[in-house]
Amino acid sequence: MGHGYFETSNSFPKDEAHSLTDQIRRSSRYTNICLIEAYRKRRYKAYFISKLSDSEMENSETKGWLKFAFECKYLSQEKYEKLTLQSEEVGRLLYHMINNPEKYGAV
């Protein structure tokens, strides 16, 4: 997930290099890292759900930053829609995992 966002943020104006670009990269990476942490600790149901919730929060943040980038005209409509659809799919998967932890080995 984070790779597409990284490439996209390279096209932003240079004055955004240390703000919007960093925020998109950070939140998209943390979405993945939190998911990895959740899965590694899936034997602890409460921890598993907590880290998945963190992942979902980071995913939502990424969507917010993408919307901001689109509104600032740093992203085309097509690219914004593609990345937003990807983020929404990740959100649906995370939501399913949070509501069905036993299907992912959480006890």
Side-chain angles (χ1 to χ4, degrees), residues 68-76:
F68 185 78
F70 174 69
E71 294 295 328
C72 290
K73 310 242 187 289
Y74 303 149
L75 290 176
S76 68

Side-chain angles (χ1 to χ4, degrees), residues 29-58:
R29 287 175 179 159
Y30 282 176
T31 298
N32 293 326
I33 295 302
C34 290
L35 178 58
I36 291 167
E37 288 180 18
Y39 194 74
R40 290 181 69 202
K41 296 286 187 166
R42 66 190 176 279
R43 67 180 158 235
Y44 307 107
K45 184 178 179 178
Y47 185 86
F48 180 72
I49 292 172
S50 175
K51 292 311 286 182
L52 289 173
S53 295
D54 290 348
S55 182
E56 197 281 324
M57 178 187 67
E58 294 294 341

